[in-house]
Amino acid sequence: MAEVVFARQFLAILELRSAKLSADHVEDPKSFPARPPYILPKMPKPMSKPMSLAPGQERSINVVLKSLRNPPLDIKLSSQSLNTSILDIKTAVEAQSRIPVDKVKLLYNKKPVPDSKVLKDLLTDDQSSLEFSVMVIGGAAAVKPEPAPVGVGSGQQEDIGEAALDTPEFWNDLKGFLMQRLKHEQKAEELSAQWRSTWQAQKKS
């Protein structure tokens, strides 16, 4: 009941007010307050001009892949199509460095890039090249060994047992294993050299 009384009193007060606008009322524009003109902000970068390519010609870019860790890599792929996928880039890395595709991760702006991405997804209008950081899972131990020459090895057997200690491949594998475990290249080289010299000294005695 109190709400009804309040509503009636409120409507009565509104009826007493003389300021009423007719249905065909039009405001005079001269009575509007002055407003300063609105200026659009400047763009951080000027708009790039469209490139004029010959019919059938496609834009291409250069791709640089670097890794400062072990194994060090510095690979340049020129004239890559914008539709080249990250998986294709990894395949090209494997062809030049013998690192399996599943052991390679590409980073762009310190963020991993999935294999389904293509180069045009990462490229801006004013870029002519892309640079990726390469992360190798497993380090130098992930690199595949060089294939044996054709015709060699058919009548030879791989050295096993103590005979393997006389081959440089054994000590290279040991060095790669130590680097993977210790995460310290200099320490791995020192231990590998120390163990090899100890073995050679024992062999001579």
Side-chain angles (χ1 to χ4, degrees):
M1 188 66 181
E3 291 82 358
V4 176
V5 174
F6 172 77
R8 289 178 179 177
Q9 292 177 353
F10 181 74
L11 293 176
I13 294 174
L14 292 180
E15 289 292 335
L16 295 176
R17 292 180 176 270
S18 59
K20 293 184 179 180
L21 299 177
S22 60
D24 57 350
H25 174 77
V26 178
E27 188 74 21
D28 186 7
K30 295 181 180 180
S31 63
F32 293 164
R35 296 181 180 179
Y38 182 76
I39 301 176
L40 294 175
K42 293 183 178 180
M43 298 182 63
K45 293 183 179 180
M47 296 182 64
S48 60
K49 297 181 180 180
M51 298 178 60
S52 57
L53 299 176
Q57 185 179 3
E58 186 180 13
R59 182 186 173 191
S60 60
I61 61 171
N62 299 325
V63 178
V64 180
L65 303 108
K66 292 185 178 181
S67 174
L68 301 179
R69 298 185 178 181
N70 193 42
L73 298 174
D74 189 0
I75 301 175
K76 295 181 180 179
L77 305 175
S78 59
S79 301
Q80 297 296 312
S81 171
L82 297 183
N83 294 321
T84 304
S85 65
I86 299 300
L87 182 60
D88 295 335
I89 299 296
K90 288 184 177 181
T91 305
V93 172
E94 180 182 13
Q96 296 192 26
S97 62
R98 305 192 314 277
I99 302 175
V101 173
D102 57 343
K103 299 294 183 181
V104 176
K105 280 192 176 182
L106 299 185
L107 307 179
Y108 184 68
N109 291 334
K110 299 181 180 180
K111 295 181 180 179
V113 185
D115 295 345
S116 57
K117 289 278 188 180
V118 294
L119 296 181
K120 66 180 179 182
D121 295 336
L122 309 173
L123 195 68
T124 58
D125 294 336
D126 56 346
Q127 280 184 293
S128 59
S129 63
L130 286 175
E131 182 173 340
F132 293 95
S133 299
V134 182
M135 182 173 65
V136 181
I137 302 175
V143 181
K144 294 180 180 179
E146 294 185 5
V150 179
V152 177
S154 57
Q156 299 178 356
Q157 294 183 354
E158 184 179 358
D159 294 327
I160 58 176
E162 290 190 3
L165 296 173
D166 296 328
T167 61
E169 289 79 7
F170 172 83
W171 299 104
N172 290 335
D173 292 343
L174 177 61
K175 178 182 174 182
F177 173 78
L178 292 174
M179 283 192 294
Q180 181 182 0
R181 291 293 184 178
L182 301 177
K183 308 296 183 183
H184 196 288
E185 184 175 359
Q186 183 177 1
K187 191 67 175 178
E189 290 181 356
E190 292 177 357
L191 289 175
S192 177
Q194 182 180 358
W195 292 348
R196 187 172 188 178
S197 60
T198 303
W199 159 252
Q200 291 176 348
Q202 291 179 355
K203 184 179 179 181
K204 292 179 181 179
S205 62

